[in-house]
Amino acid sequence: MPQVEPGPDIHLRDVRLVLGARRFEFDLTLRGGAITAVIGPSGSGKSTFLNLVAGFVFPKSGQIVIGHQDLTPEHPAERPVSLVFQDNNLFGHLDLFTNVGLGISPSLKLSKEQRLGVSAALSRVGLGGMEKRKPSTLSGGERQRAAFARALVRHKPVLLLDEPFAALDPGLRLNMASLLTDLQAERKNTVLIVTHDPDEVRRLADDVVFIDDGRVILQAPAADLAARRDIPAIASFLDG
Amino acid sequence: MMMTRRQRRWGLAGSAIALAATALFILLALAALLASQPATTDGWIFSAYTFRILQFTLLQAALSTLLSTGLAVPVALALARSSHFHGRLWVLRLMALPMGLPVLVVTLGLIAIWGRQGWANGLLLSLGASEPISIYGLSGILLAHVFFNLPLACRLMVSALERQPGESWMLAAGLGMNSVSVFRFVEWPALVRILPGIAGLIFMLCVTSFTIVLVLGGGPAATTLEVAIYQSLRFDFDPPRAIALALLQIALTGLVLALLATMRRPEERISTLGGARIRFDGRTLAKRTWDTLWIAMAVAFLLLPLDAVVSAGLQADLGRLVTSAAFASAAATSLAIALASGLLALAMSIAIVRGRLTVAETQGAGAGAVAYGRILGATSSLVLLVPPIVLGTGWFLLLRPWGDVSRFAPVLVVAINALMALPFVVRVLEPAMETHHARTARLTASLGMSGLWKLWHIDRPILMTPAALALSFAMALSLGDLGAVALFGSSDFVTLPWLLYSSLSSYRTADADGLALVLGAVCLILAVVGTSGQDSNRSRRAAG
């Protein structure tokens, strides 16, 4: 296997934001090429954190830097990121080939090579030959696989996952987690995954970022999380 | 930010244009009214004449509201209780029909049943009633208003009863409540919350009722403001009096709208997917007979006039009628007007909803943006404030200096019809566009999709159906409308309802019957198509 360049670091530099009555303050660096789990109680600001990196929400002040590029004012489409949400990852009225192909070109102008790439990506996630299927004929797990296939063809160095497995049952979650770690081993992407499942953290993450009330209260290697039961929010997270 | 700058600019600009056009059209008419000298023969807005008309307008609206809502209660309770009754869904569908039918067509049916030679009066006389019910005057107006509004009230009430959690009925059964207790503790609390809203809505509809009063009323003894305005302009040619009446009408609708705004808006969402609550009460023979009786009476009341329209229409020489030159030209005019006003209403609604979505998504929107979103939301109410006849009067005054007003008739009727349809079209489109936006906005933004490609491949497949439904409903409204045409119609500008009204006033009854059937059928098909999506919306949950 050829040596792959690890994904870029992500810096949130003194990022401040107010949404309604909530305040958010983030100032940290996420390690490039690693899987970082973003965890915390519900409503603490995990999704906002991800939306800041993705560009769905703009900070009031501060900078968002990926690698060496300041991307603070850029529209989501201009950022080097791929996204997988909890649901509605696919357009329900378009077949799988189109849904994945849109990851390469938003107006589906594909070269022959790229068309082959779409099929290859579908095979890679275990959906080979399903190009013509509509999302409604797929199971929840298959739909998430298709979303991963789209992330694959995009070749973006950063992968943002917003509770991607939350709607799946436990067996499937295990399955999908190993798909994710395999893909990560190949591509060395910088991965951020929002999750509320302590098992998923243990299984997947290199690092964790624990968010509580709009700020990061712990950033550490995932292995150290269990040792921080002294922080009540973390203890209650671990006890699920 | 999920929208690109370009998309945001379009969203804001489009809605601003739609809003400005609407506001301008309404405000210019208002300004024309206010700038003119209102006067009655006594020299002031309030004369004995206008006072009498105002009084009758309020009286008939209040009585219509009372009768429609009051009679709807037992019917709605019976329908909600009859969860086991297979025809229930059809009864509810029947109750949606009057809204889609041209008022004039239904009025003909009512005359056939309740008129002097009508079937109902025959029955009443043979049962020993001394005087037949008169279809003309107050009693006829009330009858027609009940025909249109009782089903509306009934559907809203059934919907409210169905929204009660299923556990309520189980609990009631488990506690051994009798029907009085069920009514007191479960049904009445559910109804009483929405009754003011329903009554307010019906009162508003009856205060601005035009066609029914035009056909069944008449004479100063049974005339509402709307009809009096029309008569002042078309027959007495007394613009100052029309202005006085129009100002009174605006004050009245403004007052009613302000009252309505304080009330809970009734929702209509009937589960047609067999989701009716299972009821454990009302299984006794007496209760079932009672329920059946009310449902049967309501069905007969609604069905008989419709049946009369169909059978009278079939006796007319339909072949000759639809091939006549007068029909062909009126049909062409009507279709052109309906299509133009429907498309206009659709375009304006899309612009308004897009504007609201844009504002809603603007992060850290300032007070100005929030206020703009509110104003966009209130556009529909603004439209209701100025009824078609009043709008028409204003534009009549504005355009009179420029020559024969009937030259502008097509444009004015299209604009007025589009405005009338606007609240309905927005109501159909807004939820569909909101859901579509919520599902796809993040995805399309992250993939960088925009412009025509997105419009065609992402938005069109999902939103085409609701847009077509909304268009269909808007066209049904325009096709059946007599109000705007009545002011501006001339021998050069004849729509189908106007042709029908003319045949009726010149006692060509057979022609009128045939026209009523054709017009009713066309409007009904369009309206049924237009509302079909509302039932199946939930079953068409797009996957992904």
Side-chain angles (χ1 to χ4, degrees), chain B residues 118-296:
Chain B
W119 182 92
N121 268 327
L123 183 72
L124 286 179
L125 284 177
S126 68
L127 287 176
S130 54
E131 293 262 324
I133 295 180
S134 171
I135 185 67
Y136 297 102
L138 180 62
S139 53
I141 293 171
L142 293 184
L143 199 65
H145 280 164
V146 172
F147 182 90
F148 279 99
N149 296 314
L150 179 138
L152 174 68
C154 208
R155 277 174 69 94
L156 292 170
M157 287 176 192
V158 170
S159 158
L161 288 169
E162 280 190 355
R163 276 199 309 274
Q164 288 296 100
E167 287 80 359
S168 297
W169 310 115
M170 294 192 210
L171 214 54
L175 294 173
M177 288 188 187
N178 61 14
S179 55
V180 176
S181 300
V182 170
F183 179 74
R184 203 175 131 202
F185 296 113
V186 189
E187 292 168 332
W188 182 245
L191 288 183
V192 81
R193 267 178 293 150
I194 57 158
L195 271 181
I198 293 178
L201 179 67
I202 293 177
F203 190 78
M204 178 75 193
L205 290 172
C206 295
V207 157
T208 54
S209 163
F210 174 73
T211 306
I212 288 174
V213 183
L214 179 67
V215 179
L216 299 180
T223 296
T224 55
L225 288 169
E226 294 253 312
V227 173
I229 295 170
Y230 161 77
Q231 281 163 345
S232 307
L233 276 188
R234 285 289 306 225
F235 293 108
D236 311 334
F237 203 77
D238 187 353
R241 198 174 72 195
I243 296 162
L245 293 165
L247 290 176
L248 269 182
Q249 175 75 309
I250 292 174
L252 185 57
T253 42
L255 202 66
V256 178
L257 274 180
L259 278 175
L260 263 179
T262 65
M263 294 167 185
R264 175 193 289 261
R265 192 172 143 189
E267 271 180 77
E268 184 176 22
R269 199 170 294 161
I270 290 182
S271 58
T272 45
L273 304 171
R277 300 282 178 206
I278 296 169
R279 295 282 297 259
F280 308 93
D281 52 341
R283 299 254 166 106
T284 61
L285 183 65
K287 205 70 204 163
R288 270 186 5 211
T289 316
W290 169 262
D291 286 350
T292 313
L293 206 65
W294 275 104
I295 296 174

Side-chain angles (χ1 to χ4, degrees), chain A residues 17 51 55-58 75-77 83 85 88-89 91-93 102 106-107 136 150 154, chain B residues 1-4 363 439-440 442-449 453 457-458 461-462 543-544:
Chain A
L17 169 69
N51 284 340
F56 292 128
V57 176
F58 290 159
H75 186 261
L83 291 144
F85 313 114
N88 291 324
N89 276 300
F91 296 107
H93 61 286
L102 286 171
S107 54
S136 54
R150 187 175 56 214
R154 282 170 68 74
Chain B
M1 204 58 45
M2 281 178 247
M3 291 183 178
T4 58
Q363 184 191 328
R439 275 200 192 121
T440 60
R442 287 216 293 178
L443 197 51
T444 49
S446 74
L447 297 176
M449 306 168 98
W453 200 93
H457 292 274
I458 304 301
I462 302 299

Side-chain angles (χ1 to χ4, degrees), chain B residues 189-454:
Chain B
L191 288 183
V192 81
R193 267 178 293 150
I194 57 158
L195 271 181
I198 293 178
L201 179 67
I202 293 177
F203 190 78
M204 178 75 193
L205 290 172
C206 295
V207 157
T208 54
S209 163
F210 174 73
T211 306
I212 288 174
V213 183
L214 179 67
V215 179
L216 299 180
T223 296
T224 55
L225 288 169
E226 294 253 312
V227 173
I229 295 170
Y230 161 77
Q231 281 163 345
S232 307
L233 276 188
R234 285 289 306 225
F235 293 108
D236 311 334
F237 203 77
D238 187 353
R241 198 174 72 195
I243 296 162
L245 293 165
L247 290 176
L248 269 182
Q249 175 75 309
I250 292 174
L252 185 57
T253 42
L255 202 66
V256 178
L257 274 180
L259 278 175
L260 263 179
T262 65
M263 294 167 185
R264 175 193 289 261
R265 192 172 143 189
E267 271 180 77
E268 184 176 22
R269 199 170 294 161
I270 290 182
S271 58
T272 45
L273 304 171
R277 300 282 178 206
I278 296 169
R279 295 282 297 259
F280 308 93
D281 52 341
R283 299 254 166 106
T284 61
L285 183 65
K287 205 70 204 163
R288 270 186 5 211
T289 316
W290 169 262
D291 286 350
T292 313
L293 206 65
W294 275 104
I295 296 174
M297 283 199 301
V299 168
F301 179 65
L302 293 177
L303 220 45
L304 285 173
L306 299 183
D307 174 63
V309 170
V310 174
S311 49
L314 288 178
Q315 275 163 25
D317 189 352
L318 282 177
R320 185 190 55 76
L321 190 68
V322 298
T323 49
S324 69
F327 178 85
S329 111
T333 308
S334 269
L335 275 181
I337 296 282
L339 192 64
S341 68
L343 287 173
L344 184 60
L346 192 63
M348 297 216 303
S349 306
I350 291 174
I352 288 173
V353 177
R354 275 206 65 82
R356 291 183 73 179
L357 288 174
T358 309
V359 171
E361 211 196 78
T362 306
Q363 184 191 328
V370 172
Y372 180 64
R374 291 243 172 81
I375 292 174
L376 283 179
T379 317
S380 309
S381 312
L382 185 69
V383 170
L384 292 176
L385 175 66
V386 190
I389 295 286
V390 177
L391 263 182
T393 310
W395 277 95
F396 183 92
L397 294 172
L398 271 179
L399 292 175
R400 205 164 40 141
W402 306 91
D404 185 6
V405 178
S406 65
R407 276 195 302 148
F408 306 100
V411 179
L412 286 177
V413 173
V414 165
I416 291 175
N417 282 351
L419 282 187
M420 280 163 46
L422 197 66
F424 296 95
V425 175
V426 168
R427 214 156 63 197
V428 174
L429 276 185
E430 187 151 42
M433 286 177 70
E434 258 173 22
T435 315
H436 179 64
H437 184 79
R439 275 200 192 121
T440 60
R442 287 216 293 178
L443 197 51
T444 49
S446 74
L447 297 176
M449 306 168 98
S450 62
L452 285 179
W453 200 93
K454 169 177 175 282

Side-chain angles (χ1 to χ4, degrees), chain A residues 19-62:
Chain A
L19 286 181
R22 301 221 55 148
R23 301 175 163 282
F24 302 90
E25 287 178 30
F26 299 116
D27 187 48
L28 71 161
T29 294
L30 303 159
R31 190 151 60 93
I35 299 184
T36 302
V38 180
I39 55 179
S42 33
S44 60
K46 304 186 294 281
S47 289
T48 305
F49 184 80
L50 207 70
N51 284 340
L52 277 165
V53 179
F56 292 128
V57 176
F58 290 159
K60 197 156 196 179
S61 63

